[in-house]
Amino acid sequence: MKPKLLPIHIYGDSILREKLPECSLDDAKLKDFIRDLSYTMYQRDGVGLAANQVGSRLRMFVIDPEWAREEREPNPIVMINPVIESSDGETENEEGCISLPGIYANVRRPARITISYTTPDGERVTETVEGFKAVVIQHEYDHLEGVLFTDKVSTLAKLKLKRKLNDLAAQAVDGKNVREGLPDA
Ligand SMILES: [Zn+2]
């Protein structure tokens, strides 16, 4: 079956503010969903995409932190029911988000994290990561908690972003703000 491009839920959509409950791996639709989620991430030129960004309440995300930097084959890493076990250090990076088109800001986060998660094969894995991969994981993990990167920026940066955020939120109807298809190049 051909992978499907999933609709993107944009800032102002209430599902982006939901904390997603743990999901079961027995879900028959899980395999198709993982394939479509990964496909949609690459089609949007993203390095990470969480389930609620495409309107699903499955507690999982996909990442491919190397994708934007290297010309190479896709290597999607799916993390199901992830738990950040510990974190330390500090790093600051400019972040953006497929659900917040046109918005970028510096975000401070722990530099190193230990995360455990279940793979699509059902294996529970624990690993310690740092660098860009740790930033991407924390950004996606936040989505599963209903948190967006703009919640974490400085007060001054928040003020600067306010109008753009309000413009995005103004497009929401009945708590939904969904974009189908690909954005114009
Ligand atoms: Zn995001």
Side-chain angles (χ1 to χ4, degrees):
M1 211 171 95
K2 244 184 100 193
K4 248 189 351 216
L5 184 68
L6 301 170
I8 298 293
H9 290 239
I10 303 291
Y11 184 86
D13 193 304
S14 58
I15 199 168
L16 295 175
R17 292 310 192 176
E18 288 186 26
K19 181 183 160 94
L20 304 184
E22 278 203 17
C23 63
S24 161
L25 263 76
D26 300 334
D27 193 322
K29 290 180 192 141
L30 196 67
K31 222 173 160 184
D32 286 350
F33 177 70
I34 288 170
R35 188 201 55 207
D36 295 342
L37 185 69
S38 303
Y39 176 75
T40 302
M41 175 181 74
Y42 292 118
Q43 289 295 308
R44 297 274 177 178
D45 282 327
V47 292
L49 191 60
N52 46 351
Q53 291 184 272
V54 296
S56 160
R57 290 181 173 85
L58 296 169
R59 190 172 176 84
M60 70 170 71
F61 56 77
V62 60
I63 60 162
D64 190 348
E66 305 297 320
W67 177 246
R69 303 183 171 194
E70 291 172 28
E71 289 278 328
R72 59 158 185 75
E73 290 296 301
N75 178 32
I77 303 165
V78 176
M79 298 190 174
I80 303 167
N81 298 328
V83 175
I84 294 180
E85 308 285 359
S86 64
S87 57
D88 63 89
E90 190 179 85
T91 181
E92 188 172 291
N93 299 274
E94 186 179 70
E95 296 188 22
C97 181
I98 295 171
S99 291
L100 288 94
I103 292 180
Y104 300 90
N106 284 336
V107 183
R108 253 185 236 179
R109 299 182 182 277
R112 197 165 29 252
I113 58 165
T114 297
I115 185 153
S116 53
Y117 59 93
T118 302
T119 69
D121 297 328
E123 192 190 352
R124 192 73 185 170
V125 176
T126 301
E127 59 177 313
T128 299
V129 291
E130 56 188 357
F132 186 59
K133 185 177 179 184
V135 172
V136 174
I137 289 173
Q138 290 176 84
H139 177 115
E140 298 311 325
Y141 181 86
D142 277 350
H143 276 301
L144 307 183
E145 294 288 302
V147 173
L148 301 170
F149 79 93
T150 45
D151 300 340
K152 303 198 151 186
V153 303
S154 70
T155 311
L156 183 65
K158 261 190 199 125
L159 275 173
K160 283 187 186 162
L161 294 177
K162 206 173 170 188
R163 213 179 117 189
K164 279 186 178 174
L165 290 173
N166 287 345
D167 286 349
L168 284 178
Q171 296 162 29
V173 179
D174 292 334
K176 295 263 164 278
N177 195 3
V178 184
R179 285 196 192 162
E180 308 273 353
L182 282 171
D184 299 330

